[in-house]
Structure formats: structure tokens, C-alpha cells
Amino acid sequence: MKAPPGATAPKPANQEGRDAAAAAPAPRGITSGTSDVVATLLGRGPQFWISRVGIGLLLAGVAYLFKYAVDQGWLTPPIRVAFGLALGAALATIGVRVRRDERWFTQVMLGGAAATWYITGFAAFQLLHVVSFPVAFAFMVLVTAFTFVAGLQQDEAALAVLAAIGGLGTPFFLYTETGSVPGLMAYTSVVLVGTSAIYFFKGWRSLLWTTAVGAWLVVALGFRTDTLSDRIGLQCGVVVIWLLFGLVPMLCEVRGLRHPASTSSPPREDEKRAVHTQHDLAGLTLATAVIAFFTSRAVWAVEDTPWGVVALAATVIYVSAARRLSAWRSLSVLTSALGVTAAALMAIACALLFEPHIVFVLWAVEATALHLLARQLAVRETTAPEEAVLDIDVAAHILYAAVGVWMINRLLELGPPNTAVLNTQAIADAAVIVATLVAARWVEPKAAPWYRLAAHLAILGWLWRELSSLPAGDGIVTATWGIYGLAILLLVRSARNVALATLFLAAGKLVVYDLSQVEPIWRILLFLSFGGVFLAISYYFTDLWSGTDDTAGSDGQQARGRRSAKASAESVNRQPPYC
């Protein structure tokens, strides 16, 4: 039976429980980010800062006491090491035994214990020389494992970040001249596999970014190509970093879609937060691919052609991955990131495989294709939200900006060619200008005028560079600018202000520059021609501006007819009485 109007349908027996669960704070997980260090710093109260300041002051006081005792000769090296171990153990014991409702204090104590043990291990090996390298290394590994386990038990990303920093820094804390690059890369890979596994299940973005930055720092600090084994070790480490930070975040997101109940992440209704997370991962994907490629290129001193082939192969890999992820609309931002990464690798491959003129054209064509892809995705709103389209557009704009800077350099520095117009340089530049005009039809409306203006300025610079080498070239350039501006004025109504600016620019060049550079006969012809053109424009000025759209021809004719009729009537009214 239907409920009466205004009545509220009774809730099922378990509906209130579901409502309460929905109203409860979101658990920590892949998309919530509440356990991240940044969220911790921004969201905790005064006790958070008081506890951190307290543990810092305590450790500083102990360090000063330790130094004072050493200066006084009270402590021998073994006693100093034992003191550090005991202090760390005391902090860890206090952290474990505090009340359950004071979890934040447990995290502070455990973090302080780990920091104390890291400092003790460093001092015992590097400063006091009490223990050997294997013993110190094993101790530091145990401290790292303890801190990771504590972070997982306490569900606290800060402890995991501390363990990652300590673990990645251990080879440098215990640095010796006998260290090997393959050993360094093998140890770093083990640490990264562990942190990636933690991220896969916990989704701590702070841990992901800390290990990503730390991994590349390890590669930079340990970069050495003296022997073949060093190069192989570095390359293997780069491959591991590329696989972990290029695949694990995406697998984590796919896992959250396929098995939402198996993760601790909240539901995906919070699209803004999910998109923000994907933007972070998208930036990491692009940065990882580019850094891995150029680092590998620095490891192996070979010619550009093999690396161009490698970049093409990587492009195919990222395009294939983008096609696989395109099945999930919720991952469209990551899908577009894979596409942008493929575009970046394609641009790099072109630069390595072809000569500069061809690369110049290919970059413009690629950027135009990206704009076309963005417009096609924008039409299919059911499969591509606005964020993904924006990412592709931004990538295309960046690539076109690089092409624009390159065009300015080519126009200013390459100089006039030996053969005007019919040369490779001129043809390549003209092709890029045409591609820019084509792209202006597909970019978003706000950017289209800027693309057309850039193409217009490039045409003026192209004409000057190509025609100035001809006999009487300066005069030919001025005349060509005038013809070009007049053609725009007559044919493109929406660009008539630009056309007038071009004509005035040509006239200014005629007066300021050509007056002293052009032969008298050409100077006379140019002055006469421009004077006649400007007089004709002034006479037909109103007719030229009688309409703002090519599609409004009939309306423009009607408007001109009404204006003519009104002008005729006014002229009749102004006739003298004797008429």
C-alpha cells in the first residue's frame, strides 16, 4: 500500500546502522590521505606540536649531556654506544606501554627510539669505530624493519616515512670506500619493494613520494660508471624504480576499483579527492618515465639513434597501458597521464632520430594531434571528464610553447637563406605555421586567438627573413606585408583589427627603415601604393565594418540598405528650400 502524501517511508531494520557508518569519519586508506604527514601537520592540535617539541628537546639535551660526558672523559666508546642503545630501548618501552587512548604519544616515543638508534648506529661505526661494517649494517636494517612494523601496527604514515628515510640513507650513513654500485642498487631495490608493498595496501601518498624522491637521490649520489658492473647495476636500479613507481600506483587504483571492499579506502563518491590523488600519481608517472630515460642515457654513452628507438618502444608501452585503463572512466586522469607521457617520449624520440627541421615539424604536428584528441574526448563526456581533457590540452600547450620559442630562435638566428622561400628551412617553418592555424580550430575558445596571433606574427617574421635576401628585398618585404594585411582586411572580418595593425606596421617600416635602405624608384612606388591603399580604406571604411560575421551576409546587406535609406532621407531633408 502506498504511503500517504508527506509521510516518510519506514527505514529497514539495519538502515540506521548503515547511516551511522556513512556518517562516521572515513577510514585511512588509498584516497582518504588522512594518515599522510601533510594532513597530520595541518590537522593535529597543540598536543601534537608540544609532543614533537618535547621529544626534540629531550634528544638535544641527551646529545649535549653525551658530549659533555665525552669531553670530561667519563664515557668510553663502548659505554657511549650502550647508552644510546639503552635510551632508544627506554623510549620504545615507554611508547609500547602507554595507554591505548594516547596513541599519538606512542608514535612520538617510537619515532624517537628509531631516531636514537639510527644516530647510535652511525656514531658506533663512523665516529667511534666500535663495531664493524657488517654489524653496523645489520643493526641499521633491524632498526628500519622495527620502524616499518611500528608504523603498520600504529597505522601511522609518519613512522613508515621515517623508516624509508633511514633505510635509504643507511648505505650513506655507513659509507666506506669499498662500497659497490651493484650492492647499493640491490639494497635500495629491496627497500623500495617493501615500501611499494606498504603503499599498495595502505595508500600512504607521503610514503610514496618520499621513497620516489629518495630513490632518485640514491641513484644520483651513487652514480658511477667506472666499470661495466657499475653501469649494469645502475641500469638495473633504474629499471626497478621505473617499474615500481610507474606501475604500483596504477595497480593500486585499479585494485581499489575492482575490489573496493578489500581496501581500507572510502567509497569513490568523493570525486574531487580521488581526482586530486590521481593528479599526484599522474605527475609521478610522467616524471618517473622521463627521469628514468635520461638517467639510462647518461649511464650508457652510445649514439642517439638507439636511444630514439628505446623512446619509441616506451611510447608504445605507455599507449598500450592507456588503452587498457581507458575502460575505467574513474581512471581517466591516469589514462590521460599515460597519454601525455607517451607524447613526451615521442617528442624525445623525434629529437633523437631526425634532423632539427623534421623534429620542428613533428613537434608541431604532435601538439596539434593532442589538441584534436582533447576535443574528441571532450565530445564523449561519458568516457572522459573535464580533468583528463585539461591535462591533454596543457601538454599540447606546453609542446606548442616549446615550438614557439624554437620558431623565434629560427627566425632571429638562422638568418636569410641563400635561396628565398624554396629551401628546407622555409618549408619547415611554413608547415609549422599551417599546423598552428589548424590547431587554432581545435583548441579551447580562449586560446584560439592567441594561436592565430602567434601564427600571424610568425608569418610576418617568415616573410621578412625569406624575402630580405632578394634584390631590393626590404621593399619587397614591405610590399608583401601590405598585400598580406590588405588580404586579411578584405577576407577575414573577425581579424580586421589585426589587418589594420599589419598595414600600419608596414607603413611604419616604410617610413622608419625603408626610407634609407630602399632604392628611390622602389621608395616612390611604395609610398604611392600605400598612400592609395590607405585612402581607399578610409573611403570604404564603413562598408568594410558593416558586419561582424561571415555567416551574417544577408543581415549585413539589410543593415547597409537601411543605412543607405536613412542617409538618403537625411540628404533630402537637408535640401535648400528652392529645390
Side-chain angles (χ1 to χ4, degrees):
M1 185 176 69
K2 293 184 178 180
T8 304
K11 294 184 179 181
N14 59 348
Q15 182 63 36
E16 294 181 359
R18 288 199 297 267
D19 292 344
R28 299 175 180 178
I30 294 175
T31 57
S32 67
T34 56
S35 59
D36 284 6
V37 171
V38 175
T40 301
L41 294 176
L42 296 178
R44 296 294 177 85
Q47 66 180 12
F48 170 81
W49 297 104
I50 294 173
S51 63
R52 266 60 179 180
V53 172
I55 191 66
L57 293 176
L58 176 63
L59 292 177
V62 172
Y64 283 121
L65 174 62
F66 198 79
K67 183 178 183 301
Y68 180 77
V70 171
D71 293 339
Q72 297 298 321
W74 298 343
L75 300 178
T76 61
I79 295 178
R80 301 172 202 172
V81 174
F83 181 80
L85 296 176
L87 176 61
L91 294 175
T93 303
I94 294 173
V96 172
R97 292 183 176 275
V98 296
R99 298 192 303 268
R100 286 183 174 271
D101 55 350
E102 301 293 344
R103 272 186 56 195
W104 59 272
F105 193 76
T106 299
Q107 297 160 8
V108 172
M109 292 294 103
L110 293 177
T116 302
W117 283 332
Y118 277 126
I119 295 173
T120 302
F122 165 76
F125 176 74
Q126 293 285 20
L127 303 180
L128 304 177
H129 308 289
V130 174
V131 296
S132 62
F133 175 81
V135 175
F137 183 79
F139 174 75
M140 299 288 263
V141 170
L142 289 176
V143 174
T144 300
F146 166 82
T147 312
F148 272 129
V149 172
L152 292 174
Q153 289 181 345
Q154 298 296 321
D155 195 24
E156 181 59 43
L159 291 175
V161 169
L162 176 61
I165 295 173
L168 293 175
T170 292
F172 303 98
F173 297 151
L174 307 179
Y175 174 76
T176 61
E177 295 292 340
T178 59
S180 67
V181 173
L184 174 64
M185 291 297 105
Y187 169 78
T188 302
S189 299
V190 172
V191 175
L192 294 179
V193 169
T195 57
S196 298
I198 294 174
Y199 171 76
F200 185 77
F201 291 103
K202 287 294 186 179
W204 291 335
R205 287 160 51 200
S206 56
L207 178 63
L208 177 70
W209 279 100
T210 300
T211 51
V213 175
W216 290 119
L217 284 176
V218 169
V219 172
L221 294 175
F223 194 89
R224 192 174 65 194
T225 58
D226 298 338
T227 62
L228 179 61
S229 62
D230 291 341
R231 291 194 291 270
I232 294 175
L234 278 174
Q235 187 60 64
C236 292
V238 169
V239 171
V240 170
I241 295 172
W242 174 62
L243 290 174
L244 290 178
F245 296 108
L247 294 180
V248 171
M250 294 186 185
L251 293 176
C252 189
E253 291 296 313
V254 172
R255 178 177 179 269
L257 288 177
R258 287 184 169 180
H259 309 289
S262 64
T263 65
S264 57
S265 61
R268 291 273 177 168
E269 70 273 8
D270 192 354
E271 293 186 358
K272 291 184 178 180
R273 184 176 297 169
V275 168
H276 178 71
T277 302
Q278 289 188 33
H279 275 298
D280 284 355
L281 300 182
L284 180 62
T285 300
L286 177 60
T288 299
V290 174
I291 295 175
F293 178 82
F294 283 105
T295 303
S296 301
R297 189 164 178 254
V299 172
W300 305 96
V302 297
E303 297 180 354
D304 291 341
T305 301
W307 286 112
V309 175
V310 171
L312 283 178
T315 301
V316 174
I317 293 174
Y318 278 94
V319 170
S320 302
R323 290 176 62 87
R324 294 292 299 271
L325 285 186
S326 61
W328 290 283
R329 183 179 183 274
S330 299
L331 297 180
S332 57
V333 175
L334 284 178
T335 303
S336 65
L338 291 172
V340 171
T341 304
L345 293 171
M346 175 63 74
I348 294 171
C350 293
L352 295 175
L353 292 175
F354 303 104
E355 62 179 19
H357 293 314
I358 298 177
V359 175
F360 187 49
V361 176
L362 290 178
W363 280 16
V365 171
E366 181 180 348
T368 304
L370 287 177
H371 280 306
L372 175 60
L373 176 62
R375 298 288 75 75
Q376 290 178 344
L377 292 177
V379 172
R380 298 181 296 173
E381 294 181 356
T382 57
T383 58
E386 183 179 355
E387 292 81 4
V389 176
L390 179 62
D391 289 342
I392 298 176
D393 269 330
V394 169
H397 289 322
I398 293 174
L399 189 54
Y400 251 120
V403 171
V405 173
W406 197 352
M407 173 68 82
I408 294 173
N409 180 73
R410 290 167 66 90
L411 293 176
L412 295 180
E413 295 188 2
L414 292 183
N418 296 326
T419 303
V421 179
L422 299 178
N423 59 83
T424 305
Q425 172 183 320
I427 295 173
D429 292 348
V432 171
I433 293 172
V434 172
T436 305
L437 292 173
V438 172
R441 299 177 60 88
W442 292 330
V443 299
E444 59 272 20
K446 292 182 179 180
W450 295 102
Y451 273 68
R452 296 190 181 98
L453 178 61
H456 172 72
L457 296 176
I459 290 173
L460 295 179
W462 185 85
L463 291 173
W464 193 336
R465 187 194 65 191
E466 295 298 320
L467 301 180
S468 61
S469 62
L470 297 174
D474 293 324
I476 295 176
V477 170
T478 304
T480 307
W481 281 10
I483 295 172
Y484 171 59
L486 186 60
I488 296 177
L489 184 67
L490 297 176
L491 300 177
V492 186
R493 291 183 176 181
S494 60
R496 283 179 174 168
N497 288 328
V498 176
L500 283 179
T502 304
L503 289 173
F504 278 107
L505 178 64
K509 178 178 179 297
L510 174 62
V511 175
V512 175
Y513 184 79
D514 296 345
L515 194 62
S516 61
Q517 300 293 329
V518 179
E519 294 293 331
I521 184 62
W522 287 104
R523 191 187 315 155
I524 293 171
L525 292 175
L526 287 172
F527 271 88
L528 291 176
S529 300
F530 272 90
V533 167
F534 274 86
L535 287 175
I537 291 174
S538 66
Y539 183 79
Y540 293 105
F541 184 86
T542 304
D543 292 337
L544 291 174
W545 254 257
S546 61
T548 57
D549 199 305
D550 290 336
T551 60
S554 60
D555 296 338
Q557 293 178 359
Q558 294 176 5
R560 287 195 295 272
R562 289 193 295 269
R563 285 196 296 270
S564 299
K566 182 178 180 181
S568 300
E570 291 178 353
S571 63
V572 170
N573 293 335
R574 288 197 301 267
Q575 295 294 329
Y578 56 80
C579 291

